[in-house]
Amino acid sequence: MSSKPKVVVLTGAGISAESGIPTFRDADGLWEGHDVMEVASPQGWKKNRELVLDFYNQRRKAALHVQPNEGHAALVRMEEHFDVTVITQNIDNLHEKAGSSKVIHLHGQLFQSRSTLDENLVYDMDHWELKIGDKCERGSQLRPNVVWFGEMVPMMEVAAKETYEADFFIVVGTSLYVYPAAGLLDLVDDDIPKFIVDRKIPTVQQKPNLFLFEELASSGVERVRKQLISQYL
């Protein structure tokens, strides 16, 4: 059991964007030129498996050359004084690359595949390509281990439990539009200090002990880290 105060951090596309990973959807609702329902839904998978596999193959290929930024690094440095759990909506592996020791992926992981027959059969990928004919040990086609629109978010219960136990709660680079992830902020008690870091602060209900940092993750997370140390340790 850690004796350090517990910090829980919810991260979204904004923190990865500074490393060069495009945010999930542009203003026109497209993701890398595709309607998201074509490449991120069970219906899209049923309609055109090759398109879906190719889409994630290209994301994986690009992600191999992407590096964490100062926002990720500041969360790692936070572990010197705090017990930090990162709950991320991102499917990239930048938190792990940076060195964060506890990461919960709400929406799955880009560098994993899973069986279409048994969702508990999950495989780590050390390469970028997943093809038609790649099968699980039970002979079923593999798919990206990503939570698509209309699917359950299996790690939500784990994330909620972590949030309830937080001494401090930080939101970084997320619009707080996507549920159920956005609802985590509402689980935090009024007396717990809460911080939001985003280049454009999302519309949120005013809460006690809520601190807003309207700036990029690369600078804002470090400012929060310093404030936590100076005010609460």
Side-chain angles (χ1 to χ4, degrees), residues 155-228:
M155 294 304 290
M156 198 60 209
E157 260 184 61
V158 178
K161 183 177 183 296
E162 290 287 330
T163 301
Y164 278 126
E165 295 173 355
D167 296 307
F168 304 96
F169 190 79
I170 307 171
V171 176
V172 184
T174 171
S175 62
L176 295 175
Y177 288 156
V178 179
Y179 281 82
L184 289 173
L185 182 60
D186 297 324
L187 301 181
V188 184
D189 284 345
D190 285 350
D191 61 340
I192 298 294
K194 296 164 282 291
F195 304 83
I196 297 179
V197 179
D198 201 290
R199 60 187 301 177
K200 184 183 178 188
I201 297 295
T203 303
V204 289
Q205 184 183 352
Q206 271 306 312
K207 298 172 180 287
N209 295 305
L210 179 63
F211 305 94
L212 307 177
F213 293 76
E214 192 160 59
E215 59 188 289
L216 294 170
S218 54
S219 59
V221 177
E222 177 63 10
R223 282 186 61 201
V224 172
R225 187 186 79 88
K226 288 178 175 175
Q227 184 170 326
L228 287 175

Side-chain angles (χ1 to χ4, degrees), residues 83-111:
D83 174 15
V84 181
T85 298
V86 176
I87 301 169
T88 187
Q89 295 169 274
N90 302 331
I91 60 173
D92 61 60
N93 60 355
L94 291 177
H95 286 297
E96 287 88 348
K97 265 189 181 179
S100 284
S101 54
K102 284 194 270 187
V103 184
I104 297 168
H105 284 267
L106 282 181
H107 297 154
Q109 296 192 52
L110 185 61
F111 284 94

